[in-house]
Amino acid sequence: MSENEFNVSDNFIHDIIRADIAAGKNGGAVHTRFPPEPNGYLHIGHAKSICLNYGTAVKFGGKFNLRFDDTNPVKEDTEYVDSIMEDVKWLGADWEDRKFYASNYFEQMYNYAVRLIKMGKAYVCSLTEDEFKEYRGTLTEPGRETPGRSLSVEENLDLFERMKNGEFPDGSKVLRARIDMASPNIHMRDPAIYRIRHADHHNTGSRWCIYPLYDFAHCLEDAIEGITHSICTLEFEIHRPLYDWILNTLDTPCKPQQIEFARLNLTYTVMSKRKLLTLVKDHYVSGWDDPRMPTICGLRRRGVPASAIRDFCETVGVTKYNSLTEIELLDFCVRNDLNKKAVRAMAVMNPLKVIIDNYPEGLVEEMEVVNNPEDPSAGTRKVKFSREIYVERDDFMEVPMKKFFRLAVGNEVRLRSAYFITCTSFEKDADGNITVLHATYDPQSRGGNSPDGRKVKGTIHWVSAGFAKEAEVRLYDKLFTVADLGTIPEDANWLDYLNHDSLKVAKCLIEPGLAEIAPSTNVQFERVGYFFSDPKDFSAEHPVFNRTVALKDSWAKIAQKA
Ligand code: ATP
Ligand code: MG
């Protein structure tokens, strides 16, 4: 992967790294990591973290680790481990041979915990959960001295060992760091660092029944792997003193620096893994890869290229301030990316038949059509043209409004890459619905070129009635009806804000060559939008296309307003 493919512009984290390199810290090394907990599929917020961590490593000639932060045995699964690897790879980040599991460090973490006990810096606490909270105090009140604080080192070593040996039930005891019950930072009031969980772990099986808690585990994982800059989201800022306390107290050989940045939030969607899991488990969506999901696999199935996601993350940038990013910005990045690479094709969503009365019956001509005006190397293709075609119903008006340059009786338009036609009349059924248009063509305008310099203002797409194939299109819209789910009333159920029109399945008519393309191909249906042949359901017999994004750019408008 070359550097420009993972372009991460300078940000405040890079300033810190540059200063560290200049000061010779860590011998000038830069080593980052992406540490997902394998309890769900990755989403676009994770993509931001991956782009930042990997892009930063590339930028400074450093290293990047993939680490499964699998210290919670209950919620984790190998299905998630596999999906995470697939998604990180697809995004283009390369961990080389550095894929690690926090669970492989359980032995070392246990030894570190024992070391803390021996230093008098950790003790076993037998308070109930309620008592634990009561002793801890509140944001305005300091905590109180806990009974466990008076145990001797020997007593603590014995109790911790017995915790490990499975003598106590879940929740009956925890190991706590002995720091300061009166600290203004609640995370420093003797935080729990080990808990009892009699549960099998996806990697270590039944070997352990005590598991380290996040704050204790994460800094040690970073230190064990020689991470220099441990980049995480803002909510961990208040945990940083604990991160540093553990590493300094244990005096680990490597002392990574935690740096926080603002997480990505997107309008009209949710990013919490718990909520995403609910959407999947309760069948509000078809799965983790439902194209409406903000998951990486969902976006991939929708047809969003990895390069567009990287570009989006780069455009959003890295800051210290929490904010909400408009989903239209993502659409903009996707359009921008696909404009260069997606081949064009003609598909009619809402067909209206046109009979070209002066076109010889039985004649079929092959029209040469440019595949991508943005990319001459994409070449041209042949599309069959005949006397009866279909155009979009919207491209005709019985009583044309002002500046309507498409089909209306007496109007001449260009059929893309085919001919100029002039609408002459239309037919209606008993209910007054327009059923057929009649037109004449100018044989001199073959290829859609003006024969005598006369201009037509409208160019429309078409498919040949005799050769077009039917396809299924899945039209996706926003998953939720409110932009910021953080603003719904406290007693409201977030599921009540699901957009029930977020998926419409429709039929359309496609030029025949489109049925022959491979699954997972990006195509622009001219004048309609970007579509993607579904990776799972597409076949030549049953072509299925997911709408990646419509053509209309609403981001430009939003940006203008701002
Ligand atoms: P949870 O902790 O609720 O399971 P999580 O999204 O924090 O969810 P992790 O697996 O811990 O899940 O995340 C892995 C990494 O991705 C972490 O370093 C985390 O900071 C980062 N990350 C998660 N969500 C976002 C986001 N929305 N924007 C940027 N980074 C994120
Ligand atoms: Mg997390």
Side-chain angles (χ1 to χ4, degrees):
M1 185 61 53
S2 70
E3 184 172 325
N4 56 6
E5 283 182 79
F6 256 95
N7 176 34
V8 187
S9 300
D10 270 356
N11 57 51
F12 73 94
I13 297 175
H14 297 157
D15 296 340
I16 296 172
I17 294 177
R18 273 205 191 87
D20 287 347
I21 293 173
K25 200 174 158 187
N26 307 305
V30 174
H31 201 148
T32 62
R33 86 286 176 261
F34 173 63
E37 184 181 349
N39 62 349
Y41 281 62
L42 299 184
H43 54 60
I44 187 149
H46 294 118
K48 179 170 179 181
S49 174
I50 294 164
C51 290
L52 174 58
N53 278 291
Y54 181 68
T56 297
V58 170
K59 185 168 191 151
F60 291 97
K63 290 180 179 157
F64 166 82
N65 292 4
L66 172 63
R67 179 204 312 144
F68 291 102
D69 199 350
D70 56 351
T71 53
N72 178 357
V74 189
K75 293 183 184 162
E76 296 164 2
D77 205 303
T78 48
E79 176 196 344
Y80 300 135
V81 169
D82 294 340
S83 76
I84 288 169
M85 286 194 284
E86 185 183 356
D87 291 348
V88 175
K89 248 187 228 156
W90 179 75
L91 271 176
D94 184 0
W95 60 83
E96 296 175 334
D97 57 354
R98 290 178 305 278
K99 178 186 78 182
F100 300 114
Y101 292 88
S103 53
N104 287 340
Y105 312 144
F106 281 166
E107 191 75 44
Q108 287 171 81
M109 292 182 193
Y110 177 79
N111 292 334
Y112 274 127
V114 169
R115 179 131 47 108
L116 278 185
I117 297 174
K118 286 183 177 162
M119 295 166 83
K121 298 286 189 188
Y123 62 93
V124 173
C125 173
S126 306
L127 294 176
T128 64
E129 210 180 311
D130 286 343
E131 288 167 338
F132 186 102
K133 282 189 191 139
E134 195 203 310
Y135 273 89
R136 196 178 51 189
T138 64
L139 288 176
T140 49
E141 267 170 65
R144 285 185 289 139
E145 198 79 356
T146 55
R149 280 189 148 233
S150 57
L151 297 176
S152 69
V153 167
E154 287 67 35
E155 283 169 308
N156 281 314
L157 284 173
D158 174 63
L159 283 170
F160 190 48
E161 168 129 30
R162 287 165 61 198
M163 276 169 66
K164 181 184 82 154
N165 292 342
E167 287 187 30
F168 308 114
D170 286 4
S172 61
K173 293 189 182 344
V174 288
L175 184 71
R176 297 176 75 162
R178 185 191 182 103
I179 308 179
D180 177 7
M181 286 307 289
S183 171
N185 182 340
I186 215 156
H187 297 281
M188 297 297 271
R189 294 183 192 166
D190 293 8
I193 58 175
Y194 256 93
R195 60 176 173 171
I196 304 171
R197 269 281 180 291
H198 291 269
D200 278 4
H201 184 279
H202 78 100
N203 180 29
T204 56
S206 58
R207 172 125 184 267
W208 296 90
C209 64
I210 53 169
Y211 291 94
L213 284 149
Y214 180 88
D215 281 327
F216 183 64
H218 202 85
C219 55
L220 290 175
E221 294 159 22
D222 285 339
I224 289 166
E225 291 177 16
I227 299 302
T228 56
H229 299 86
S230 175
I231 302 171
C232 65
T233 39
L234 276 183
E235 65 273 23
F236 290 101
E237 192 164 21
I238 192 160
H239 298 241
R240 186 170 3 113
L242 178 54
Y243 186 101
D244 292 339
W245 183 91
I246 294 166
L247 298 184
N248 290 329
T249 305
L250 288 167
D251 196 20
T252 50
C254 165
K255 294 200 181 56
Q257 179 183 356
Q258 177 180 303
I259 308 171
E260 309 85 15
F261 73 104
R263 63 170 51 232
L264 174 74
N265 298 301
L266 259 192
T267 53
Y268 296 102
T269 194
V270 287
M271 219 84 94
S272 133
K273 281 196 250 182
R274 186 178 53 79
K275 288 182 177 155
L276 294 174
L277 183 65
T278 301
L279 294 176
V280 173
K281 285 256 152 84
D282 297 341
H283 305 289
Y284 292 102
V285 293
S286 66
W288 287 100
D289 69 348
D290 187 302
R292 290 167 290 180
M293 293 280 273
T295 50
I296 295 180
C297 58
L299 293 166
R300 177 166 65 232
R301 188 164 181 194
R302 186 163 174 151
V304 173
S307 48
I309 295 179
R310 294 196 298 258
D311 181 45
F312 169 71
C313 293
E314 164 61 12
T315 306
V316 170
V318 179
T319 72
K320 273 260 179 202
Y321 307 99
N322 276 321
S323 63
L324 187 62
T325 298
E326 317 255 8
I327 201 160
E328 288 83 358
L329 177 61
L330 175 61
D331 292 345
F332 170 81
C333 293
V334 173
R335 269 187 218 104
N336 198 32
D337 189 282
L338 289 176
N339 182 38
K340 288 168 250 160
K341 39 179 96 132
V343 294
R344 274 51 169 174
M346 291 191 283
V348 173
M349 299 291 119
N350 198 359
L352 175 60
K353 185 177 267 191
V354 181
I355 301 175
I356 304 165
D357 293 305
N358 62 338
Y359 193 87
E361 231 160 308
L363 177 65
V364 175
E365 287 182 273
E366 298 226 305
M367 298 300 174
E368 186 161 10
V369 187
V370 170
N371 283 334
N372 185 355
E374 301 290 322
D375 174 14
S377 74
T380 60
R381 68 187 183 284
K382 295 272 197 312
V383 182
K384 290 192 168 78
F385 185 80
S386 56
R387 188 170 188 263
E388 296 193 359
I389 60 170
Y390 286 105
V391 300
E392 297 287 354
R393 212 157 255 283
D394 280 358
D395 283 336
F396 173 77
M397 282 187 96
E398 186 176 348
V399 182
M401 57 183 191
K402 257 195 176 165
K403 298 203 170 165
F404 183 79
F405 299 122
R406 290 167 281 159
L407 286 169
V409 174
N411 260 14
E412 185 171 49
V413 301
R414 175 189 290 107
L415 294 176
R416 158 76 74 223
S417 306
Y419 284 109
F420 285 12
I421 61 167
T422 304
C423 182
T424 52
S425 64
F426 54 87
E427 294 172 25
K428 279 185 177 177
D429 64 15
D431 300 326
N433 301 311
I434 292 165
T435 51
V436 178
L437 301 183
H438 288 273
T440 55
Y441 84 118
D442 178 353
Q444 302 304 313
S445 62
R446 196 172 195 282
N449 301 310
S450 179
D452 52 8
R454 80 176 184 272
K455 292 207 163 57
V456 289
K457 283 199 170 145
T459 297
I460 64 174
H461 61 278
W462 52 274
V463 293
S464 159
F467 298 99
K469 294 209 164 138
E470 197 176 80
E472 177 182 320
V473 280
R474 298 172 181 169
L475 307 172
Y476 299 104
D477 202 347
K478 294 171 172 126
L479 191 49
F480 288 89
T481 54
V482 284
D484 184 356
L485 278 156
T487 62
I488 65 172
E490 219 156 276
D491 55 352
N493 181 354
W494 61 280
L495 288 165
D496 291 341
Y497 295 85
L498 272 171
N499 174 15
H500 296 290
D501 293 321
S502 59
L503 168 61
K504 283 196 194 98
V505 179
K507 294 266 181 268
C508 74
L509 292 171
I510 56 174
E511 59 175 84
L514 262 185
E516 310 301 325
I517 63 171
S520 300
T521 304
N522 292 106
V523 192
Q524 187 201 91
F525 290 0
E526 286 204 46
R527 304 178 61 229
V528 178
Y530 290 100
F531 286 75
F532 190 61
S533 49
D534 190 78
K536 289 181 175 167
D537 301 334
F538 180 93
S539 68
E541 298 71 43
H542 182 60
V544 179
F545 290 91
N546 302 328
R547 184 172 67 194
T548 311
V549 64
L551 274 188
K552 206 177 78 205
D553 178 9
S554 44
W555 171 248
K557 273 190 217 133
I558 289 173
Q560 232 168 27
K561 233 177 21 199

